Amino acid sequence: MISETHKWKVAQRASPQKLSTSKGIFQLGRGILIGSILPIILLIAWEIAARTGLLAAHLLPAPTIILEKIISMYQDGSLFGHISVTLTRVFLGFAIGTGAAVVIGAIVGYAKTAERLLDPLFQAIRSIPSLAWVPLFILWMGIGEPSKISLIAVGVFFPVYLNIVAGIQGVDRKLIEVGRIYHLTPYQLTKRIILPAALPSFITGMRSGLGLGWMFVVAAELMGASEGLGYLLVVGQNTYSPDTVIASILLFAVLGKITDAVLKWVEHRSLKWQDSMTNQG
Amino acid sequence: MLNVSRLKRTFNHDTAGFQDINLSVKEGEIIGVLGTSGCGKSTLLRVLSGLDQQYEGTISIENGSNNQIGMMFQEPRLLPWLSVKKNISFGLEKEERNTEKYKTYLDLVGLTGFENHYPKDLSGGMAQRTAIARALITEPEILLLDEPFSALDAFTKMQLQDLLLSIWQKKKTTMILITHDIDEALYLCDRIFVLKGQPGEVYSEVSIEKQRPRTRGDGYLSKQKAHILHLLNVEKKAAGEHQ
Ligand SMILES: Nc1ncnc2c1ncn2[C@@H]1O[C@H](COP(=O)(O)OP(=O)(O)OP(=O)(O)O)[C@@H](O)[C@H]1O
Ligand SMILES: [Mg+2]
Protein backbone atom coordinates (compact mmCIF):
# COMPACT_ATOMS: atom_id res chain seq x y z
CA MET A 1 0.00 0.00 0.00
CA ILE A 2 2.65 2.44 1.08
CA SER A 3 4.94 1.45 -1.72
CA GLU A 4 2.16 1.96 -4.20
CA THR A 5 1.44 5.50 -3.09
CA HIS A 6 5.13 6.10 -3.17
CA LYS A 7 5.36 4.87 -6.73
CA TRP A 8 2.46 7.00 -7.72
CA LYS A 9 4.15 10.03 -6.22
CA VAL A 10 7.36 9.31 -8.03
CA ALA A 11 5.50 8.95 -11.29
CA GLN A 12 3.73 12.20 -10.68
CA ARG A 13 7.01 13.92 -9.98
CA ALA A 14 8.62 12.52 -13.07
CA SER A 15 5.85 13.50 -15.43
CA PRO A 16 6.54 17.25 -15.84
CA GLN A 17 10.01 16.42 -17.08
CA LYS A 18 8.85 13.97 -19.69
CA LEU A 19 6.09 16.16 -20.96
CA SER A 20 8.26 19.25 -20.82
CA THR A 21 7.80 20.28 -24.46
CA SER A 22 4.06 19.87 -24.87
CA LYS A 23 3.43 21.03 -21.38
CA GLY A 24 5.77 23.95 -21.89
CA ILE A 25 3.81 25.14 -24.90
CA PHE A 26 0.58 24.59 -23.02
CA GLN A 27 1.85 26.62 -20.08
CA LEU A 28 3.11 29.34 -22.38
CA GLY A 29 -0.29 29.48 -24.04
CA ARG A 30 -1.99 29.64 -20.69
CA GLY A 31 0.39 32.38 -19.55
CA ILE A 32 -0.43 34.47 -22.60
CA LEU A 33 -4.11 33.78 -22.09
CA ILE A 34 -4.12 34.88 -18.45
CA GLY A 35 -1.89 37.82 -19.20
CA SER A 36 -4.16 39.10 -21.96
CA ILE A 37 -7.46 38.98 -20.06
CA LEU A 38 -7.03 42.41 -18.50
CA PRO A 39 -5.77 44.22 -21.62
CA ILE A 40 -8.65 42.81 -23.67
CA ILE A 41 -11.24 43.92 -21.12
CA LEU A 42 -9.64 47.36 -21.01
CA LEU A 43 -9.60 47.57 -24.82
CA ILE A 44 -13.28 46.66 -25.04
CA ALA A 45 -14.19 49.13 -22.30
CA TRP A 46 -12.13 51.81 -24.06
CA GLU A 47 -13.82 51.07 -27.39
CA ILE A 48 -17.29 51.28 -25.83
CA ALA A 49 -16.43 54.41 -23.89
CA ALA A 50 -15.10 56.13 -26.99
CA ARG A 51 -18.06 55.05 -29.15
CA THR A 52 -20.64 56.17 -26.63
CA GLY A 53 -18.93 59.51 -26.21
CA LEU A 54 -17.92 58.85 -22.61
CA LEU A 55 -14.37 59.69 -23.69
CA ALA A 56 -13.84 62.72 -25.86
CA ALA A 57 -12.90 61.27 -29.25
CA HIS A 58 -10.61 64.20 -30.07
CA LEU A 59 -8.51 63.33 -27.02
CA LEU A 60 -8.64 59.56 -26.91
CA PRO A 61 -10.02 57.96 -30.07
CA ALA A 62 -11.29 54.38 -30.05
CA PRO A 63 -8.83 51.52 -30.57
CA THR A 64 -10.39 50.64 -33.91
CA ILE A 65 -9.72 54.17 -35.16
CA ILE A 66 -6.08 53.87 -34.16
CA LEU A 67 -5.90 50.55 -35.93
CA GLU A 68 -7.46 52.12 -39.01
CA LYS A 69 -4.84 54.84 -38.85
CA ILE A 70 -2.06 52.27 -38.86
CA ILE A 71 -3.68 50.38 -41.73
CA SER A 72 -4.10 53.52 -43.78
CA MET A 73 -0.45 54.42 -43.21
CA TYR A 74 0.42 50.95 -44.32
CA GLN A 75 -1.68 51.33 -47.45
CA ASP A 76 -0.25 54.68 -48.48
CA GLY A 77 3.24 53.26 -47.93
CA SER A 78 4.39 55.75 -45.31
CA LEU A 79 4.35 53.21 -42.47
CA PHE A 80 7.25 51.22 -43.83
CA GLY A 81 9.31 54.38 -44.40
CA HIS A 82 8.86 55.63 -40.84
CA ILE A 83 9.58 52.28 -39.30
CA SER A 84 12.66 51.60 -41.37
CA VAL A 85 14.12 55.05 -40.71
CA THR A 86 13.64 54.66 -36.98
CA LEU A 87 14.96 51.10 -36.95
CA THR A 88 18.04 52.13 -38.92
CA ARG A 89 18.79 54.89 -36.44
CA VAL A 90 18.39 52.56 -33.49
CA PHE A 91 20.55 49.87 -35.05
CA LEU A 92 23.32 52.23 -36.10
CA GLY A 93 23.37 53.92 -32.71
CA PHE A 94 23.21 50.58 -30.98
CA ALA A 95 26.03 49.13 -33.07
CA ILE A 96 28.30 52.13 -32.57
CA GLY A 97 27.55 52.40 -28.86
CA THR A 98 28.04 48.67 -28.28
CA GLY A 99 31.20 48.56 -30.39
CA ALA A 100 32.78 51.42 -28.51
CA ALA A 101 31.71 49.93 -25.20
CA VAL A 102 33.22 46.54 -26.05
CA VAL A 103 36.59 48.02 -26.98
CA ILE A 104 36.85 50.49 -24.13
CA GLY A 105 35.19 48.18 -21.63
CA ALA A 106 37.57 45.34 -22.48
CA ILE A 107 40.59 47.60 -22.03
CA VAL A 108 39.32 49.11 -18.77
CA GLY A 109 38.23 45.74 -17.42
CA TYR A 110 41.49 44.08 -18.31
CA ALA A 111 44.18 46.64 -17.56
CA LYS A 112 44.39 48.14 -14.10
CA THR A 113 46.16 51.28 -15.31
CA ALA A 114 43.55 51.89 -17.97
CA GLU A 115 40.89 51.55 -15.34
CA ARG A 116 42.52 54.11 -13.07
CA LEU A 117 42.99 56.40 -16.02
CA LEU A 118 39.67 56.11 -17.78
CA ASP A 119 37.06 54.92 -15.35
CA PRO A 120 36.74 58.12 -13.26
CA LEU A 121 36.24 60.07 -16.45
CA PHE A 122 33.52 57.76 -17.69
CA GLN A 123 31.83 57.74 -14.31
CA ALA A 124 31.78 61.54 -14.40
CA ILE A 125 30.40 61.63 -17.94
CA ARG A 126 27.85 59.03 -17.02
CA SER A 127 26.39 61.27 -14.34
CA ILE A 128 25.37 63.77 -17.02
CA PRO A 129 21.78 62.93 -17.98
CA SER A 130 22.26 61.87 -21.57
CA LEU A 131 19.47 64.10 -22.89
CA ALA A 132 21.53 67.09 -21.81
CA TRP A 133 23.81 66.29 -24.72
CA VAL A 134 21.09 67.08 -27.23
CA PRO A 135 21.80 70.80 -27.73
CA LEU A 136 25.53 70.21 -27.86
CA PHE A 137 25.22 67.48 -30.46
CA ILE A 138 22.98 69.68 -32.56
CA LEU A 139 25.50 72.50 -32.31
CA TRP A 140 28.31 70.19 -33.27
CA MET A 141 26.72 68.06 -35.92
CA GLY A 142 23.63 69.89 -37.03
CA ILE A 143 20.17 68.47 -36.98
CA GLY A 144 20.80 65.61 -39.41
CA GLU A 145 21.50 61.94 -38.88
CA PRO A 146 24.94 62.15 -37.19
CA SER A 147 23.67 63.99 -34.14
CA LYS A 148 20.73 61.61 -33.75
CA ILE A 149 22.84 58.51 -34.07
CA SER A 150 25.48 59.88 -31.71
CA LEU A 151 22.84 60.57 -29.11
CA ILE A 152 21.53 57.02 -29.36
CA ALA A 153 25.08 55.65 -29.25
CA VAL A 154 25.83 57.60 -26.07
CA GLY A 155 22.69 56.21 -24.50
CA VAL A 156 23.59 52.65 -25.46
CA PHE A 157 27.23 52.99 -24.53
CA PHE A 158 26.99 53.28 -20.76
CA PRO A 159 24.96 50.25 -19.77
CA VAL A 160 27.00 48.06 -22.11
CA TYR A 161 30.27 49.54 -20.92
CA LEU A 162 29.44 49.16 -17.24
CA ASN A 163 28.31 45.58 -17.66
CA ILE A 164 31.35 44.58 -19.68
CA VAL A 165 33.73 46.03 -17.14
CA ALA A 166 31.84 44.34 -14.32
CA GLY A 167 31.71 41.09 -16.27
CA ILE A 168 35.41 41.04 -17.01
CA GLN A 169 36.41 42.02 -13.52
CA GLY A 170 34.08 39.42 -12.10
CA VAL A 171 35.65 36.50 -13.97
CA ASP A 172 36.54 33.78 -11.51
CA ARG A 173 40.25 33.89 -10.75
CA LYS A 174 40.18 30.12 -10.47
CA LEU A 175 39.21 29.77 -14.13
CA ILE A 176 41.91 32.20 -15.20
CA GLU A 177 44.40 30.01 -13.35
CA VAL A 178 43.31 27.06 -15.44
CA GLY A 179 44.33 29.08 -18.49
CA ARG A 180 47.64 29.97 -16.90
CA ILE A 181 48.41 26.31 -16.22
CA TYR A 182 48.17 25.77 -19.97
CA HIS A 183 50.31 28.84 -20.66
CA LEU A 184 47.73 30.72 -22.65
CA THR A 185 48.89 34.03 -24.05
CA PRO A 186 46.95 37.14 -22.93
CA TYR A 187 45.09 37.07 -26.24
CA GLN A 188 44.16 33.39 -25.87
CA LEU A 189 43.21 33.95 -22.25
CA THR A 190 40.88 36.76 -23.28
CA LYS A 191 39.33 34.80 -26.09
CA ARG A 192 39.01 31.43 -24.42
CA ILE A 193 38.25 32.34 -20.83
CA ILE A 194 37.58 35.99 -20.10
CA LEU A 195 35.14 36.79 -22.91
CA PRO A 196 32.99 33.66 -22.56
CA ALA A 197 32.89 34.16 -18.81
CA ALA A 198 31.86 37.80 -19.23
CA LEU A 199 29.27 37.00 -21.90
CA PRO A 200 26.21 36.81 -19.61
CA SER A 201 26.93 40.20 -18.20
CA PHE A 202 27.64 41.57 -21.69
CA ILE A 203 24.26 40.40 -22.95
CA THR A 204 22.52 41.91 -19.94
CA GLY A 205 24.25 45.16 -20.83
CA MET A 206 23.15 44.90 -24.44
CA ARG A 207 19.55 44.39 -23.43
CA SER A 208 19.43 47.40 -21.19
CA GLY A 209 21.42 49.34 -23.79
CA LEU A 210 18.84 48.50 -26.41
CA GLY A 211 16.08 49.73 -24.11
CA LEU A 212 17.87 53.03 -23.72
CA GLY A 213 18.48 53.12 -27.47
CA TRP A 214 14.73 53.13 -28.04
CA MET A 215 14.30 55.86 -25.47
CA PHE A 216 16.90 58.03 -27.13
CA VAL A 217 15.61 57.53 -30.63
CA VAL A 218 12.36 59.10 -29.46
CA ALA A 219 14.29 62.03 -28.02
CA ALA A 220 16.38 62.33 -31.16
CA GLU A 221 13.39 62.28 -33.46
CA LEU A 222 11.42 64.69 -31.32
CA MET A 223 14.19 67.25 -31.62
CA GLY A 224 13.73 67.49 -35.35
CA ALA A 225 13.26 64.89 -38.01
CA SER A 226 11.39 64.59 -41.26
CA GLU A 227 10.74 60.88 -41.02
CA GLY A 228 10.50 58.25 -38.36
CA LEU A 229 8.09 57.21 -35.64
CA GLY A 230 9.21 60.05 -33.39
CA TYR A 231 8.46 62.45 -36.21
CA LEU A 232 4.95 60.97 -36.34
CA LEU A 233 4.57 61.89 -32.68
CA VAL A 234 5.40 65.50 -33.50
CA VAL A 235 3.09 65.52 -36.51
CA GLY A 236 0.28 64.06 -34.45
CA GLN A 237 0.77 66.70 -31.78
CA ASN A 238 0.87 69.56 -34.27
CA THR A 239 -2.18 68.40 -36.23
CA TYR A 240 -4.22 67.58 -33.14
CA SER A 241 -4.58 63.96 -34.15
CA PRO A 242 -4.24 61.76 -31.09
CA ASP A 243 -4.77 58.68 -33.29
CA THR A 244 -1.42 59.34 -34.98
CA VAL A 245 0.30 59.85 -31.64
CA ILE A 246 -1.13 56.72 -30.09
CA ALA A 247 -0.48 54.71 -33.26
CA SER A 248 3.16 55.71 -33.14
CA ILE A 249 3.42 54.94 -29.40
CA LEU A 250 1.98 51.52 -30.14
CA LEU A 251 4.48 50.92 -32.92
CA PHE A 252 7.35 51.92 -30.63
CA ALA A 253 6.12 49.41 -28.07
CA VAL A 254 5.83 46.62 -30.60
CA LEU A 255 9.23 47.25 -32.19
CA GLY A 256 10.92 47.59 -28.81
CA LYS A 257 9.42 44.32 -27.72
CA ILE A 258 10.44 42.52 -30.91
CA THR A 259 14.06 43.69 -30.81
CA ASP A 260 14.30 42.75 -27.15
CA ALA A 261 12.84 39.33 -27.93
CA VAL A 262 15.58 38.85 -30.54
CA LEU A 263 18.27 39.62 -27.94
CA LYS A 264 16.52 37.41 -25.44
CA TRP A 265 16.61 34.60 -27.95
CA VAL A 266 20.32 35.19 -28.57
CA GLU A 267 20.81 35.16 -24.82
CA HIS A 268 18.99 31.90 -24.47
CA ARG A 269 20.92 30.35 -27.33
CA SER A 270 24.36 31.38 -26.18
CA LEU A 271 23.88 30.89 -22.45
CA LYS A 272 22.49 27.38 -22.45
CA TRP A 273 25.40 26.35 -20.29
CA GLN A 274 24.36 28.65 -17.48
CA ASP A 275 23.13 27.03 -14.31
CA SER A 276 20.15 29.28 -13.85
CA MET A 277 16.53 28.94 -12.87
CA THR A 278 15.30 29.18 -16.44
CA ASN A 279 17.69 26.52 -17.70
CA GLN A 280 16.44 23.72 -15.52
CA GLY A 281 15.03 20.53 -16.88
CA MET B 1 63.86 15.94 -12.15
CA LEU B 2 62.44 18.36 -9.63
CA ASN B 3 64.53 19.92 -6.90
CA VAL B 4 63.15 22.16 -4.24
CA SER B 5 65.11 23.64 -1.41
CA ARG B 6 64.10 25.75 1.55
CA LEU B 7 60.87 26.55 -0.20
CA LYS B 8 58.63 28.87 1.72
CA ARG B 9 55.33 30.58 1.03
CA THR B 10 53.41 31.99 3.95
CA PHE B 11 50.43 34.22 4.51
CA ASN B 12 49.31 36.50 7.31
CA HIS B 13 52.70 37.05 8.95
CA ASP B 14 53.88 33.44 8.82
CA THR B 15 50.73 31.98 10.34
CA ALA B 16 49.57 30.01 7.30
CA GLY B 17 51.08 28.38 4.22
CA PHE B 18 54.22 26.27 4.37
CA GLN B 19 57.92 26.70 5.01
CA ASP B 20 61.23 24.92 4.89
CA ILE B 21 60.25 22.32 2.32
CA ASN B 22 63.12 20.37 0.77
CA LEU B 23 62.30 17.88 -1.91
CA SER B 24 64.21 16.12 -4.57
CA VAL B 25 62.03 14.13 -6.87
CA LYS B 26 63.52 11.68 -9.34
CA GLU B 27 62.09 11.13 -12.75
CA GLY B 28 59.18 8.73 -12.70
CA GLU B 29 58.72 8.94 -8.97
CA ILE B 30 55.30 9.21 -7.37
CA ILE B 31 55.36 11.38 -4.29
CA GLY B 32 52.49 11.48 -1.84
CA VAL B 33 51.71 14.39 0.44
CA LEU B 34 49.61 13.81 3.53
CA GLY B 35 48.71 16.39 6.09
CA THR B 36 45.94 17.94 8.05
CA SER B 37 43.58 20.40 6.44
CA GLY B 38 45.05 23.85 6.09
CA CYS B 39 48.70 22.90 6.43
CA GLY B 40 49.60 24.32 3.02
CA LYS B 41 49.37 21.36 0.66
CA SER B 42 47.40 23.13 -2.05
CA THR B 43 49.61 26.17 -1.64
CA LEU B 44 52.64 23.96 -2.24
CA LEU B 45 51.20 22.72 -5.53
CA ARG B 46 50.33 26.26 -6.59
CA VAL B 47 53.92 27.30 -6.03
CA LEU B 48 55.31 24.25 -7.83
CA SER B 49 52.99 24.77 -10.79
CA GLY B 50 54.13 28.34 -11.18
CA LEU B 51 50.78 29.91 -10.38
CA ASP B 52 52.11 31.50 -7.21
CA GLN B 53 55.41 33.27 -7.78
CA GLN B 54 55.78 34.90 -4.39
CA TYR B 55 57.78 32.16 -2.77
CA GLU B 56 61.19 32.09 -1.16
CA GLY B 57 63.74 29.38 -1.81
CA THR B 58 64.53 27.65 -5.06
CA ILE B 59 62.70 25.38 -7.45
CA SER B 60 64.60 23.80 -10.28
CA ILE B 61 63.15 21.56 -12.91
CA GLU B 62 65.63 19.59 -14.96
CA ASN B 63 65.37 19.67 -18.73
CA GLY B 64 62.00 21.25 -18.22
CA SER B 65 60.16 23.05 -20.94
CA ASN B 66 57.05 25.05 -20.24
CA ASN B 67 54.35 22.59 -21.04
CA GLN B 68 55.67 19.81 -18.90
CA ILE B 69 53.69 20.53 -15.80
CA GLY B 70 50.11 19.37 -15.59
CA MET B 71 47.90 20.26 -12.68
CA MET B 72 44.65 19.06 -11.34
CA PHE B 73 43.13 21.45 -8.84
CA GLN B 74 41.37 20.55 -5.65
CA GLU B 75 38.12 21.70 -7.28
CA PRO B 76 37.22 20.52 -10.81
CA ARG B 77 37.43 24.07 -12.22
CA LEU B 78 35.66 23.14 -15.41
CA LEU B 79 34.76 25.94 -17.79
CA PRO B 80 30.99 26.12 -17.49
CA TRP B 81 30.44 27.23 -21.09
CA LEU B 82 32.25 24.22 -22.56
CA SER B 83 30.83 20.74 -22.93
CA VAL B 84 32.58 17.83 -21.27
CA LYS B 85 34.51 16.96 -24.43
CA LYS B 86 35.67 20.53 -24.96
CA ASN B 87 36.67 20.79 -21.34
CA ILE B 88 38.76 17.65 -21.67
CA SER B 89 40.42 18.98 -24.84
CA PHE B 90 41.01 22.42 -23.34
CA GLY B 91 44.76 22.10 -22.85
CA LEU B 92 45.50 20.67 -26.28
CA GLU B 93 47.02 22.62 -29.12
CA LYS B 94 44.59 24.13 -31.56
CA GLU B 95 45.02 21.47 -34.25
CA GLU B 96 44.38 18.66 -31.82
CA ARG B 97 41.50 20.32 -30.02
CA ASN B 98 38.90 19.38 -32.57
CA THR B 99 40.05 15.85 -33.10
CA GLU B 100 38.72 12.72 -31.47
CA LYS B 101 41.61 12.52 -29.06
CA TYR B 102 39.34 13.32 -26.13
CA LYS B 103 37.49 10.03 -26.69
CA THR B 104 40.24 7.86 -25.26
CA TYR B 105 40.32 9.85 -22.04
CA LEU B 106 36.57 10.17 -21.88
CA ASP B 107 36.37 6.39 -21.90
CA LEU B 108 39.23 5.98 -19.46
CA VAL B 109 37.47 8.03 -16.80
CA GLY B 110 34.17 6.30 -17.55
CA LEU B 111 32.23 9.22 -18.95
CA THR B 112 31.34 7.73 -22.33
CA GLY B 113 28.07 9.19 -23.51
CA PHE B 114 28.43 12.39 -21.51
CA GLU B 115 30.68 14.24 -23.96
CA ASN B 116 28.05 16.82 -24.83
CA HIS B 117 26.88 17.57 -21.30
CA TYR B 118 27.63 20.91 -19.73
CA PRO B 119 29.31 21.00 -16.32
CA LYS B 120 26.08 22.18 -14.69
CA ASP B 121 24.56 18.81 -15.51
CA LEU B 122 27.36 16.74 -13.97
CA SER B 123 27.57 15.26 -10.51
CA GLY B 124 30.50 16.19 -8.31
CA GLY B 125 32.33 12.96 -9.07
CA MET B 126 31.71 13.26 -12.81
CA ALA B 127 33.06 16.79 -12.79
CA GLN B 128 36.13 15.55 -10.96
CA ARG B 129 36.63 12.78 -13.51
CA THR B 130 36.35 15.31 -16.32
CA ALA B 131 39.04 17.35 -14.61
CA ILE B 132 41.23 14.25 -14.34
CA ALA B 133 40.84 13.60 -18.05
CA ARG B 134 41.70 17.22 -18.81
CA ALA B 135 44.88 16.95 -16.74
CA LEU B 136 45.93 13.66 -18.33
CA ILE B 137 45.23 14.39 -21.98
CA THR B 138 48.19 16.74 -22.44
CA GLU B 139 50.51 14.00 -21.18
CA PRO B 140 52.64 16.25 -18.99
CA GLU B 141 55.93 15.00 -17.61
CA ILE B 142 55.17 16.22 -14.13
CA LEU B 143 51.66 15.80 -12.89
CA LEU B 144 50.50 17.69 -9.82
CA LEU B 145 47.33 16.21 -8.37
CA ASP B 146 45.41 17.89 -5.56
CA GLU B 147 43.14 15.29 -4.00
CA PRO B 148 42.13 13.97 -7.41
CA PHE B 149 39.75 11.26 -6.21
CA SER B 150 38.23 12.89 -3.15
CA ALA B 151 34.69 13.05 -4.55
CA LEU B 152 34.52 9.47 -5.81
CA ASP B 153 33.04 6.31 -4.41
CA ALA B 154 35.44 3.60 -3.25
CA PHE B 155 35.06 1.51 -6.39
CA THR B 156 35.53 4.28 -8.97
CA LYS B 157 38.38 5.57 -6.89
CA MET B 158 40.22 2.25 -7.14
CA GLN B 159 39.61 2.11 -10.87
CA LEU B 160 41.06 5.56 -11.36
CA GLN B 161 44.01 4.82 -9.13
CA ASP B 162 44.76 1.91 -11.44
CA LEU B 163 44.29 4.21 -14.42
CA LEU B 164 46.87 6.54 -12.95
CA LEU B 165 49.24 3.60 -12.48
CA SER B 166 48.77 2.39 -16.04
CA ILE B 167 49.61 5.86 -17.31
CA TRP B 168 52.63 5.88 -15.06
CA GLN B 169 53.70 2.53 -16.44
CA LYS B 170 53.46 3.77 -19.99
CA LYS B 171 54.97 7.21 -19.61
CA LYS B 172 56.86 7.11 -16.31
CA THR B 173 55.19 10.37 -15.42
CA THR B 174 56.54 12.06 -12.32
CA MET B 175 53.65 12.74 -9.97
CA ILE B 176 53.02 14.65 -6.82
CA LEU B 177 49.80 13.53 -5.27
CA ILE B 178 48.04 15.22 -2.41
CA THR B 179 45.59 13.02 -0.64
CA HIS B 180 43.77 12.46 2.63
CA ASP B 181 43.49 8.78 1.93
CA ILE B 182 46.38 6.88 3.51
CA ASP B 183 45.56 3.68 1.61
CA GLU B 184 45.66 5.58 -1.66
CA ALA B 185 49.06 7.02 -0.84
CA LEU B 186 50.35 3.59 0.14
CA TYR B 187 49.00 2.00 -3.01
CA LEU B 188 50.45 4.58 -5.39
CA CYS B 189 53.46 6.35 -3.94
CA ASP B 190 57.18 5.72 -3.68
CA ARG B 191 57.58 8.20 -0.91
CA ILE B 192 55.06 9.87 1.35
CA PHE B 193 55.65 13.21 3.02
CA VAL B 194 53.66 13.96 6.11
CA LEU B 195 53.23 17.69 6.63
CA LYS B 196 52.19 19.28 9.87
CA GLY B 197 51.84 22.65 11.50
CA GLN B 198 50.77 26.15 10.60
CA PRO B 199 52.69 27.00 8.47
CA GLY B 200 53.21 23.42 7.35
CA GLU B 201 56.59 21.72 7.47
CA VAL B 202 57.68 18.22 6.57
CA TYR B 203 57.18 16.25 9.74
CA SER B 204 58.20 12.89 8.41
CA GLU B 205 59.05 11.06 5.23
CA VAL B 206 57.99 7.46 4.66
CA SER B 207 59.41 5.34 1.85
CA ILE B 208 57.34 2.52 0.46
CA GLU B 209 59.86 -0.01 -0.81
CA LYS B 210 57.58 -2.21 -2.79
CA GLN B 211 57.23 -2.97 -6.45
CA ARG B 212 54.11 -1.83 -8.23
CA PRO B 213 51.49 -3.10 -8.85
CA ARG B 214 50.87 -3.62 -5.17
CA THR B 215 48.18 -5.57 -3.44
CA ARG B 216 45.87 -3.36 -1.46
CA GLY B 217 46.10 -3.99 2.25
CA ASP B 218 48.99 -6.44 2.11
CA GLY B 219 51.05 -7.01 5.24
CA TYR B 220 53.81 -4.56 4.49
CA LEU B 221 51.41 -1.77 3.52
CA SER B 222 49.36 -2.38 6.66
CA LYS B 223 52.46 -1.98 8.76
CA GLN B 224 53.29 1.26 7.00
CA LYS B 225 49.75 2.44 7.49
CA ALA B 226 49.99 1.84 11.21
CA HIS B 227 53.22 3.79 11.18
CA ILE B 228 51.67 6.74 9.36
CA LEU B 229 48.63 6.68 11.60
CA HIS B 230 50.99 6.73 14.51
CA LEU B 231 52.76 9.75 13.05
CA LEU B 232 49.49 11.58 12.57
CA ASN B 233 48.39 10.58 16.03
CA VAL B 234 51.57 11.80 17.67
CA GLU B 235 50.95 15.03 15.90
CA LYS B 236 47.53 15.22 17.48
CA LYS B 237 48.90 14.44 20.93
CA ALA B 238 51.60 17.04 20.53
CA ALA B 239 48.97 19.58 19.57
CA GLY B 240 47.00 18.57 22.66
CA GLU B 241 49.99 19.04 24.94
CA HIS B 242 50.45 22.58 23.71
CA GLN B 243 47.07 23.60 24.96
N1 LIG C 1 46.00 33.66 -1.04
C1 LIG C 1 45.95 33.41 0.29
N2 LIG C 1 45.93 34.44 1.15
C2 LIG C 1 45.91 34.21 2.48
N3 LIG C 1 45.91 32.99 3.04
C3 LIG C 1 45.94 31.91 2.23
C4 LIG C 1 45.95 32.07 0.80
N4 LIG C 1 45.99 30.84 0.24
C5 LIG C 1 45.98 29.97 1.26
N5 LIG C 1 45.96 30.61 2.45
C6 LIG C 1 45.98 29.97 3.78
O1 LIG C 1 47.00 29.03 3.79
C7 LIG C 1 46.62 27.89 4.53
C8 LIG C 1 46.86 26.64 3.74
O2 LIG C 1 45.95 26.55 2.66
P1 LIG C 1 45.96 25.32 1.68
O3 LIG C 1 44.84 25.53 0.72
O4 LIG C 1 47.31 25.15 1.12
O5 LIG C 1 45.61 24.12 2.66
P2 LIG C 1 45.53 22.58 2.34
O6 LIG C 1 46.65 21.93 3.06
O7 LIG C 1 45.42 22.35 0.89
O8 LIG C 1 44.17 22.18 3.07
P3 LIG C 1 43.04 21.15 2.60
O9 LIG C 1 43.55 19.80 2.97
O10 LIG C 1 41.87 21.54 3.42
O11 LIG C 1 42.84 21.33 1.15
C9 LIG C 1 45.17 28.10 4.93
O12 LIG C 1 45.12 28.48 6.29
C10 LIG C 1 44.71 29.22 4.05
O13 LIG C 1 43.80 30.04 4.74
MG1 LIG D 1 44.00 21.78 -0.39
Side-chain angles (χ1 to χ4, degrees), chain B residues 89-222:
Chain B
S89 313
F90 185 81
L92 294 174
E93 292 300 318
K94 199 167 185 164
E95 311 81 56
E96 271 188 315
R97 222 179 287 149
N98 293 316
T99 63
E100 304 273 273
K101 187 168 182 188
Y102 74 90
K103 275 220 166 103
T104 326
Y105 290 86
L106 189 78
D107 295 347
L108 283 176
V109 298
L111 285 174
T112 319
F114 288 95
E115 56 263 55
N116 292 319
H117 281 55
Y118 285 106
K120 73 178 170 91
D121 298 326
L122 299 179
S123 73
M126 287 158 80
Q128 198 170 38
R129 282 182 280 155
T130 310
I132 294 169
R134 178 176 68 185
L136 295 178
I137 198 170
T138 50
E139 304 184 339
E141 298 196 357
I142 301 176
L143 196 51
L144 307 174
L145 302 158
D146 198 344
E147 300 182 31
F149 311 129
S150 59
L152 304 177
D153 61 283
F155 181 69
T156 314
K157 196 185 230 184
M158 287 186 211
Q159 274 185 328
L160 289 175
Q161 287 164 358
D162 287 326
L163 165 67
L164 215 57
L165 280 188
S166 71
I167 283 170
W168 174 81
Q169 240 132 24
K170 255 185 261 154
K171 287 215 60 195
K172 290 288 173 287
T173 311
T174 310
M175 300 189 203
I176 297 183
L177 170 83
I178 292 177
T179 177
H180 284 301
D181 181 341
I182 300 175
D183 293 310
E184 176 172 289
L186 290 167
Y187 185 63
L188 296 173
C189 301
D190 296 299
R191 281 186 288 156
I192 300 172
F193 288 87
V194 180
L195 299 192
K196 79 154 210 192
Q198 301 263 6
E201 290 178 43
V202 176
Y203 176 66
S204 179
E205 180 187 334
V206 181
S207 293
I208 313 295
E209 316 278 353
K210 188 148 181 102
Q211 278 287 301
R212 279 183 289 254
R214 300 169 182 162
T215 326
R216 291 174 202 273
D218 92 347
Y220 174 72
L221 294 188
S222 307

Side-chain angles (χ1 to χ4, degrees), chain A residues 42-53:
Chain A
L42 281 177
L43 271 178
I44 294 173
W46 175 9
E47 180 77 35
I48 294 171
R51 295 267 165 199
T52 54

Side-chain angles (χ1 to χ4, degrees), chain A residues 15 34 44 47 57 74 76 92 99 114 127 129 134 144 161 174 185 225 231 240:
Chain A
S15 63
I34 292 177
I44 294 173
E47 180 77 35
Y74 171 74
D76 69 21
L92 282 178
S127 59
V134 172
Y161 167 78
K174 293 182 168 175
T185 62
Y231 163 75
Y240 299 102

